[in-house]
Structures are given as structure tokens and as C-alpha cells.
Amino acid sequence: MDRRKMLGLAGAGAIGAAAAGVAGATLIDGATHPAQAADAGAAIPFYGEHQAGIVTPAQDRLHFVAFDVITDKKAELLDLLEKWTMAAARMTAGRDAGSIGAVNGTQEAAPDDTGEAIGLPPSGLTLTIGFGATLFRTAEGKDRFGIADRRPAALADLPRFAKDTLKPEISGGDICIQACAHDPQVAVHAVRNLARIGFGVVSVRWTQLGFGRTSSTSRGQVTARNLFGFKDGTANLKAEDTQLLKEQLWVQQGDGAEWMTGGSYVVTRKIRMLIETWDRTSLGEQEAIIGRSKGEGAPHGGKAEFDLPKFDAKGADGEPLIAADAHVRLSHPDANDGARLLRRGYNFVDGSDGLGRLDAGLFFIAYQRDPRKQFVPVQTRLSRQDTLNEYIRHVSSGLFACPPGIRAADDYWGRALFA
Amino acid sequence: MRTSALIAVSAGTAAALTLAGCGDSKDDATTPGAAGTSKIAVTATDTECKVEKTETTSGPVTFTISNKGAKVTEFYVYATGDRIMGEVENVAPGLSRELIVELPAGTYETACKPGMSGKGIRGGFKATGDAKPLTDDAKLAQATQDYQRYVKSQTGALIDKTTEFVTAVKGGDIEKAKTLFPIARTYWERIEPVAESFGDLDPAIDAREADLEAGQEWTGFHKIEKDLWVTKDVSKSGPTADKLLADVKTIVDKANTVQLSPLNLANGAKELLDEVATGKITGEEDTFSHTDLWDFAANLEGSRAAIAALRPVIEEKDAALAKTLEDKFAAAQAELDKHRNGDGWKFHNELSEADLKALADSINALAEPISKVAPLVASK
């Protein structure tokens, strides 16, 4: 049953959600830009050639979860993947997680949906699954499910980057699910129900909540800001760049593991920002570190956000307008053999850290065709040279192979991988 | 802005309905309800407890409690001798909660407890008719009999071991008392859901220091635990020890005469695992002695005993669930057995985060299928 139809709230609930979305956009944009969340309540199709939640215009909220698989029985894992796919199809359409629902069952039974999304619209929920290297072979070298030879070469472990301060307990994982929605409660509801369906087969390894998308993945969206106060993801890959998406985002036939054709690889990095020291840094220095103006987001030497950075332009003093170690220069495709990423990160604030500092930063998410040629070279350069490193710490890392989309109701997540 | 938002939203609803066809199509037809239950509204204020009807037909009864007062309230249905048939706690001002109880024909008392204390505002209540209780089913009747026999065996040992423990405390033998503490508690923890049905006695025996509110007197096992492990002085613990034994004896008398329903068994099996998940894995239960794993083992055994009693019923109605439960009990026990130490267990603070996570996973894996037992037992 449709969550809203059930309560007869279709009108009221929807207006509330849409209005909240508009208010959020207004806050981000200082009330001068067009609002972009008018369709915040709508459903995003679950079925398709590619998984939703990648080029889907980035929603406002994130709940990301990484699981460890705790069974050695392949049949149990496949059964779970099938159940998850059914529940995901239902929840992304704005329905209860199970076929009985949150309040329609018998009084003696625990409901098969947890209920906190009753009355809420689909809210643009997308659920995107990925498989980590340890699913193919555990850290101890065990091939639990007979799929070690199906591990794509592109799913190579990330190298250790300079200044990494990764915590193993919030890194990696056998399976990840990215839940994005315009309403945080809808995203949390989805992850909570999937985790519950998985008890006994998977165990939650770590999760991350995010708000305020920090990237736009469509030209219809304005560029949002990260917690440093800068626009983030101006030069992002966008849904409209059809040819670039083929070259840079989607795994193509012949790339390697056949089951990944039409899929993409996601890298996650939890990047703690040392907010307090950044906030004491002068505007001039902040802009020099990034290489763009804080207000408009224009590259130094340019006027508007989308002006192309002129890396060889020099100022009156003969120094480059965009510093040699500016973030925009080091991460730009020109400096990285044309490598691009589809970034889809979110801000996070996990309370404070006990020393009175905000435990805050950017949960970086980037999709790509081959991390060995994209994320790894870019991050290698950034980790060595970026002045921004004084203000950030990478504390968690993940790499997952996200298979292509589900094309029919009898297909399920991972079927081609395990076939 | 609102106009365009509305249009976009109704388009979204249409998309949702269309997409629904891609999932399973049968679910709109399956909406089992709790047919045949009588519903009674209860309006609670700080001074009144208005029960819409004071007589109903026997069988499942649904009370809907609306708190119109300023204090948090509770609602109870008592049988003779203040035996709790059902209760709903923590009804905040302005909120409504439901309570479903199975009431055989007989006389009862209802009670609202504004401020959650005292005997409450009582009223008479009567159930008439011949709705047959679930225990009329022969297999279910056998199950409750089997389980009650188990309760009896545990209560006997509980009195014996609590007596030994209390004697050691009063005799000032700290080492012996420390050894006996987790052992006496084992018999308590195996049957705790039964004990909890007697309301105020459970906190008198088992309240933790963190459970108390300002000015509340602390008695029971955990008070003595603190004396043994922290203050290391039991010279003033005598009265607490005497009261503990007296309370245990009272509760044992009640437990041995209470008539349990099969739903009590199923829900009790689940509650014991909830106890493990919330109190034992976190080390909150025995925060001074760190003997949580004794309680963990006892909760698991108690849960298993209740499910074992129901086993013929589960087997008949859902053989696959019976098998799953057996496997998951074995897996949880195996996970726990990794931490054996002689006749007992390792202390909670000797376990690593990874050990505790593995234990939590095994309990989650077991508790989800166990939550399916109650509806199975209730189904006709």
C-alpha cells in the first residue's frame, strides 16, 4: 500500500515536504537563486539500465551504510540480495518495506515495516548498492562465495595516500548501500529497514549521515557549498554530459569483469574538516588555497563560476593567479590526464569531538569508470601537494563496485555477479 | 512557488503508483486485521481514569489510552491479587497508546497511574462470555504446562542460591559472596520476564543504580554488588540482603501460581534477548562486577527453554521457522561459548569490541525469527 494513500495525507504531507525542500534550497543560495526542489516529493524510478542515485540530480540528504557479510553460505546471501531488491523497489516508490506494512498486520506480530515513513512521499529516494573487495576474498584470503575470480581488476585496493589517518572500523566493508532522499527520515527509514532484513546475514559495519549535498550532478541544479563555505563540484561530471559519462563514469563492455558493464566504481572518503582553524584563516588565504573566489566561485582571473580556470595567467607581480598548489589546479582534469569524477558528496556534522570542536566535514563520494585511472592519481597528487591538507584529515575510506541497474522485476542486486 | 510544488508532487504520486506495478502486486489484497477484538477508550487525566465501558466480551480487548493530563501516566489491567494482565507504560501528556490484552471471563480492575507511581486510580472491570483462551488448544496447553514446570525448577534454585548469597554477605565473607553473586542471578535472569509481570517487585530486586530517580531508595542485587566490588564493605549490607531474600521469596510464590498464556512464553523469549541486547552486551547490567556474561548465558537459556516448550506448536505451523530457531540458538551459544572460563565466563571488560560485536550479531540473527513466534502462536 502507498504510504500516503493509507493515511489520506497525500495533499498535506506533500506540500510540507516540498515547502521544506524549497526552504532548504533558499538557505543554501542566499535567496537569490531559483529553487530547485519543487519535485522533492516525487519518486525516482528504481528500474533502469544504470542504478539510480549516481547521475540522479543529487538529493539533499544521505544515509550511507557499509555491511560485513557474516555468513559463509552463498544461498543465504543470495536470498538476502533478492529480499533487499524487493524492499528497495517498494521503498523507492514510497511504499512500505514489506508486503504487509507498518500497521496492517496482526497485533501479535512485529510489523514488516518500521513505520517512521508513514505519510511521507517517496522524496526522491534512491538506493544504490556496491560490492567491496572483501566480498570476493576476505582480508584473511578466504573465497567464501566462490567469486574471487570475478573481482574486477579496477576494484584494486586503494594505495595508502600521504597523511591518511584512516580508522579501519569505519572503512571498507563487503557491501555498501547509498540511500539518498530529499527527506532525511525517508533515507534513514530505508537503511534501517534494509539492515533489519539483513540481520543474521550481514552486520552493519559503519554508517554515515549527510546533509546539504555538496555537488550538483545535473545542470539544472545550482552548485552547493561545503562546510568550508565554498562552492563544491563546479567542474563535476553532470548527467547531461552523455559522451563524457561513457568515457569517465560507466564501465564499458571490454573493460574487464563482464558483470560490471553499465556499472560504476564508487570511492567514499570521510574527510574531517578542522573547521575552527579554517574559520580563523583570512578570506584572501582561503581563496588562494582553493583557487576560486568564495562568493561567486569564479576561478582567480575569471569572473563567473563556470569560467574555465586559466592556469597560466599571471598577476602584475608575475606570480600565477591560481597558485601552483591551489586545490582547483591540482584536482583539475588538465593536471590529471583529463581524469574526471562524478562527485556526489555530503556535508556531515557528527556532534562535537569532546574537545569542543565540531566533528564535521565532507563525506566525499565519487563515481567513476576506473579508480586506478581517476581517483587514485588525483588523490595521490592532492595528498602530496594540496595546501588544504592543513585543514582536513581523511578518516575513512571505501571502494565498491556498483553493478548496473535492475532491468526487470525478476532480476535482483548481484544476480549477474553470482550467476 | 506552492502552486508549482503541488503540481510536481501530484505527478510524483502518479509515478509512484505506476511503479508499484513492477514490485509484487498481491500486497494490497493482504491486509489482515485484528478482527473480533473489542475496543474501549480510556481517558486519563491527573485525577481521573475514565474507562468508556466497564464490561465487555471475553477474548482480546483493545484499550486506547489517551492522556489528557499534565503528568506522564500508565494504564494497567489487574486480575485478582493485582496480577498484571497487561500494562502500557510511559504515556506522555497529549498522546494515545494502545494496550491489547486477552481477558478470559472474570472480574478485573483497571488503573491509571498519573505520575507513574502508587496504586493508581482504580475501577472495576468485567469480561463475560465464553471466548476460549488460547490455552484450550491441547498443544498450547501442554506448552504452558511444560514451561511452568521449568519456571518452578528455576525458582527453587533461585531461593537456594539467593539464601547462600545472602548468608555470605551477612557473614562478611566477601570472596564467597562475590562468587555466588552471578550464580544466584543466573536463576533470576532465566525467568525474568515472568518476574517482571509482578510489577514493583522487579525493581526492588534488580534495579541498577542508573535506574533510580533522585531520592529513591536503592535495594536488591545491584546495591549489594556495589558494596562487594566498589566500597568493599558489607558490614551495613545486612538489611538489604534480608530484604532481597524476602522479595525473592514473595516473587517466587507468585511465579509458581501464575497462569501463563502461550503468548507470555513467546513474548518472554523475545524479551530475554532484548535484555541481552540492551543490558548485557553493553555491560550496563553488572557495571561493578562485570559478570554480565553469566546473565547473558542465563537469558539465552531462559529464552531457549520458552521456545523449547512451544516447539511442537511451532513445528506444526512453520517447520522452517523451527529449524531456523534451532540453528540460530546454536550459533549464538557457540559465539558465547568462545568466552568460557572454567565453570563460568570471562568478565565483560575482558572482551574486545570485536567480540561484543560478534555477540550482538548473533543475538540480532536470533531475535528477528523469534519475533515471528508470537503471531504464529496466536494464529488459528
Side-chain angles (χ1 to χ4, degrees):
Chain A
M1 184 178 275
D2 183 281
R3 291 194 301 244
R4 286 188 297 158
K5 201 169 70 181
M6 187 172 67
L7 288 194
L9 281 178
I15 293 169
V22 171
T26 307
L27 274 180
I28 289 167
D29 285 287
T32 53
H33 291 269
Q36 52 185 313
D39 59 347
I44 307 280
F46 177 72
Y47 298 93
E49 185 185 357
H50 305 294
Q51 286 198 71
I54 302 176
V55 295
T56 305
Q59 302 94 321
D60 287 331
R61 303 291 183 139
L62 167 80
H63 194 178
F64 193 97
V65 58
F67 294 99
D68 288 329
V69 177
I70 55 173
T71 180
D72 284 350
K73 298 191 184 104
K74 188 171 164 182
E76 284 187 4
L77 178 57
L78 292 186
D79 179 55
L80 172 63
L81 289 167
E82 217 168 326
K83 283 184 186 154
W84 266 357
T85 308
M86 262 162 34
R90 301 178 56 82
M91 290 190 287
T92 51
R95 313 171 90 206
D96 288 318
S99 60
I100 295 171
V103 292
N104 295 318
T106 59
Q107 294 290 343
E108 292 83 5
D112 67 5
D113 180 281
T114 54
E116 72 272 33
I118 290 175
L120 298 177
S123 307
L125 174 69
T126 54
L127 294 165
T128 314
I129 195 168
F131 302 118
T134 46
L135 185 69
F136 298 84
R137 198 183 282 283
T138 63
E140 293 78 36
K142 199 168 157 203
D143 178 10
R144 291 179 290 174
F145 308 111
I147 53 169
D149 58 350
R150 301 198 143 219
R151 176 176 172 180
L155 193 66
D157 292 335
L158 297 177
R160 195 203 130 76
F161 298 104
K163 304 176 192 73
D164 269 1
T165 47
L166 305 181
K167 296 177 188 160
E169 66 275 17
I170 54 168
S171 295
D174 296 335
I175 299 178
C176 77
I177 293 177
Q178 168 197 281
C180 294
H182 291 295
D183 183 330
Q185 184 129 332
V186 169
V188 166
H189 168 260
V191 167
R192 173 177 170 191
N193 279 272
L194 293 174
R196 181 175 172 218
I197 294 168
F199 280 139
V201 180
V202 294
S203 165
V204 173
R205 180 177 175 87
W206 56 272
T207 63
Q208 183 64 51
L209 287 171
F211 64 93
R213 62 175 178 85
T214 60
S215 296
S216 46
T217 52
S218 158
R219 302 216 183 281
Q221 294 185 299
V222 295
T223 313
R225 290 177 188 272
N226 62 32
L227 293 183
F228 281 150
F230 278 77
K231 289 185 182 175
D232 198 335
T234 295
N236 205 17
L237 273 179
K238 305 248 161 73
E240 294 81 359
D241 306 331
T242 323
Q243 185 55 34
L244 267 178
L245 296 185
K246 265 192 191 165
E247 293 167 12
Q248 302 270 347
L249 179 66
W250 304 122
V251 175
Q252 303 294 313
Q253 194 115 35
D255 277 3
E258 219 25 59
W259 63 271
M260 270 297 285
T261 303
S264 192
Y265 295 90
V266 66
V267 171
T268 67
R269 306 281 287 187
K270 182 174 184 174
I271 305 172
R272 168 88 189 266
M273 290 174 167
L274 307 180
I275 299 274
E276 291 75 10
T277 47
W278 176 260
D279 292 347
R280 288 192 281 271
T281 305
S282 71
L283 178 63
E285 187 172 346
Q286 289 185 5
E287 291 185 333
I289 290 170
I290 302 292
R292 289 182 181 274
S293 68
K294 196 166 184 178
E296 168 64 24
H300 293 328
K303 285 197 172 62
E305 179 191 351
F306 292 101
D307 286 354
L308 291 177
K310 297 193 184 91
F311 292 116
D312 45 8
K314 290 193 166 64
D317 57 358
E319 292 294 315
L321 285 172
I322 298 174
D325 56 0
H327 184 73
V328 67
R329 181 188 292 273
L330 297 170
S331 58
H332 198 271
D334 286 3
N336 293 286
D337 284 334
R340 308 275 299 260
L341 298 166
L342 185 127
R343 279 175 285 156
R344 222 176 184 288
Y346 288 84
N347 297 320
F348 72 86
V349 176
D350 295 350
S352 56
D353 68 356
L355 298 174
R357 307 180 300 186
L358 275 190
D359 186 354
L362 170 68
F363 188 72
F364 171 94
I365 301 176
Y367 288 88
Q368 59 220 281
R369 182 176 169 187
D370 188 342
R372 295 169 300 173
K373 295 175 185 159
Q374 294 167 270
F375 177 77
V376 172
V378 174
Q379 180 55 23
T380 302
R381 186 180 301 271
L382 286 173
S383 66
R384 287 175 186 157
Q385 302 175 37
D386 195 352
T387 322
L388 202 52
N389 289 329
E390 286 182 30
Y391 302 95
I392 59 176
R393 299 279 181 275
H394 285 237
V395 294
S396 109
S397 178
L399 170 63
F400 302 91
C402 306
I406 300 288
R407 271 162 258 207
D410 64 340
D411 192 8
Y412 59 88
W413 281 339
R415 189 170 72 168
L417 164 59
F418 289 95
Chain B
M1 197 73 261
R2 283 195 171 232
T3 319
S4 66
L6 253 184
I7 291 165
V9 165
S10 40
T13 310
L17 293 177
T18 319
L19 236 188
C22 301
D24 48 351
S25 52
K26 57 179 184 289
D27 45 87
D28 280 333
T30 55
T31 46
T37 61
S38 46
K39 293 193 177 255
I40 297 173
V42 178
T43 310
T45 67
D46 294 350
T47 52
E48 278 186 307
C49 186
K50 281 190 201 150
V51 181
E52 182 189 25
K53 288 190 289 183
T54 55
E55 189 172 329
T56 189
T57 44
S58 58
V61 183
T62 304
F63 293 94
T64 308
I65 299 96
S66 308
N67 186 358
K68 310 271 188 208
K71 294 179 180 167
V72 179
T73 195
E74 294 175 332
F75 180 78
Y76 287 76
V77 180
Y78 292 107
T80 317
D82 275 4
R83 179 159 61 87
I84 298 171
M85 301 300 291
E87 61 170 295
V88 51
E89 297 178 32
N90 258 321
V91 187
L95 288 190
S96 294
R97 297 273 299 275
E98 276 198 351
L99 168 67
I100 300 143
V101 280
E102 190 193 334
L103 295 180
T107 54
Y108 302 92
E109 273 191 327
T110 54
C112 298
K113 293 191 183 175
M116 303 200 292
S117 60
K119 282 182 64 73
I121 306 161
R122 300 284 181 122
F125 194 83
K126 202 167 161 186
T128 55
D130 54 0
K132 289 194 166 45
L134 287 170
T135 39
D136 276 12
D137 177 304
K139 278 204 176 74
L140 288 173
Q142 187 62 44
T144 50
Q145 269 180 31
D146 288 353
Y147 184 70
Q148 279 182 304
R149 203 172 308 121
Y150 173 78
V151 170
K152 208 156 210 161
S153 72
Q154 298 305 307
T155 52
L158 173 62
I159 291 192
D160 292 350
K161 291 296 165 188
T162 307
T163 307
E164 284 180 38
F165 172 65
V166 162
T167 308
V169 169
K170 290 174 74 179
D173 190 343
I174 289 188
E175 282 319 303
K176 189 169 182 200
K178 278 179 159 181
T179 316
L180 285 165
F181 173 79
I183 294 169
R185 290 186 54 76
T186 291
Y187 301 99
W188 167 259
E189 290 283 341
R190 281 180 185 155
I191 56 163
E192 196 171 357
V194 179
E196 277 178 347
S197 66
F198 304 113
D200 292 349
L201 274 172
D202 175 56
I205 293 171
D206 202 29
R208 293 171 283 192
E209 193 172 23
D211 297 335
L212 306 175
E213 58 182 43
Q216 193 182 345
E217 191 198 0
W218 187 24
T219 60
F221 275 118
H222 295 299
K223 169 79 176 77
I224 303 174
E225 179 195 4
K226 189 174 185 181
D227 295 341
L228 287 169
W229 269 272
V230 180
T231 51
K232 299 186 172 71
D233 175 9
V234 288
S235 59
K236 296 184 191 69
S237 310
T240 313
D242 284 336
K243 177 166 163 48
L244 171 65
L245 186 56
D247 287 341
V248 162
K249 282 180 172 164
T250 311
I251 218 163
V252 162
D253 284 344
K254 293 194 174 205
N256 286 342
T257 51
V258 68
Q259 178 61 48
L260 296 169
S261 101
L263 279 176
N264 292 141
L265 272 60
N267 288 325
K270 182 186 144 296
E271 282 161 24
L272 282 165
L273 297 181
D274 294 345
E275 289 268 332
V276 173
T278 55
K280 278 70 179 193
I281 284 177
T282 55
E284 286 166 43
E285 181 73 43
D286 301 305
T287 182
F288 309 114
S289 64
H290 305 298
T291 54
D292 304 87
L293 254 50
W294 276 263
D295 296 42
F296 186 136
N299 287 157
L300 193 60
E301 285 157 359
S303 181
R304 201 170 194 167
I307 293 297
L310 287 167
R311 169 87 199 206
V313 181
I314 303 171
E315 182 88 357
E316 183 183 83
K317 292 183 170 173
D318 186 347
L321 179 61
K323 175 81 176 71
T324 302
L325 289 171
E326 195 169 296
D327 291 350
K328 300 295 179 189
F329 264 119
Q333 188 66 50
E335 198 58 50
L336 180 62
D337 283 344
K338 291 179 183 169
H339 309 294
R340 273 194 189 280
N341 183 10
D343 288 341
W345 303 93
K346 284 187 193 155
F347 294 110
H348 184 274
N349 53 359
E350 293 177 293
L351 267 55
S352 70
E353 280 291 314
D355 292 337
L356 295 170
K357 175 123 192 292
L359 286 170
D361 286 341
S362 71
I363 291 301
N364 281 334
L366 173 59
E368 280 291 328
I370 277 200
S371 72
K372 298 196 168 74
V373 173
L376 191 72
V377 165
S379 66
K380 291 275 154 52

